[in-house]
Amino acid sequence: MVDFAEAIEDCRLMDPGYDGAEFTWAKNGLMERLDRVLISEMTPQLFDAIRVTNLPRIASDHGPLLVRCRLPNAHGGGRAFRFQNMWVRHEGFGELVQEDWMAPTEVWASSI
């Protein structure tokens, strides 16, 4: 177990906590929280929320774990973009569009 604990620490994994049943395993009157979810340090940066729920045991001595992750809202909840034709008559509009169109992005695409 010491080696396993060291591996978890070396890999910088962490337990995000849980809701639901306190124990995930029961047998012969013994109850323990044996089943866990481990996430990397980077995982909370990828998701708005991570929720682990320990579900009740039904057909096994182990209870299932439900992991839910909420993706960030890419649209930010803002209003839809509306193009106004008057913009094309604005001085510098063409240059601005060309500069922005040519600017590098962090998007990566591959041809399949």
Side-chain angles (χ1 to χ4, degrees):
M1 286 306 295
V2 172
D3 289 340
F4 183 60
E6 287 176 357
I8 290 171
E9 186 175 328
D10 291 346
C11 293
R12 295 181 161 179
L13 299 175
M14 53 191 187
D15 186 333
Y18 65 94
D19 295 327
E22 185 176 353
F23 304 109
T24 63
W25 175 85
K27 193 167 191 176
N28 300 330
L30 294 173
M31 298 189 338
E32 297 285 339
R33 181 175 175 234
L34 297 181
D35 306 284
R36 297 171 186 262
V37 171
L38 297 174
I39 60 175
S40 74
E41 287 181 327
M42 298 297 295
T43 304
Q45 297 172 15
L46 300 174
F47 299 100
D48 280 346
I50 300 167
R51 187 172 187 160
V52 178
T53 303
N54 294 344
L55 300 174
R57 292 175 293 108
I58 295 176
S60 172
D61 54 355
H62 287 268
L65 304 179
L66 174 64
V67 180
R68 291 177 282 187
C69 303
R70 186 173 59 223
L71 292 171
N73 185 355
H75 301 295
R79 297 185 323 199
F81 173 77
R82 304 276 189 232
F83 181 80
Q84 301 291 325
N85 284 329
M86 65 180 182
W87 292 341
V88 297
R89 293 188 299 271
H90 191 277
E91 184 179 336
F93 173 79
E95 293 82 16
L96 177 65
V97 170
Q98 184 174 8
E99 286 174 23
D100 284 352
W101 188 260
M102 300 304 289
T105 67
E106 295 179 14
V107 175
W108 180 83
S110 67
S111 57
I112 297 176

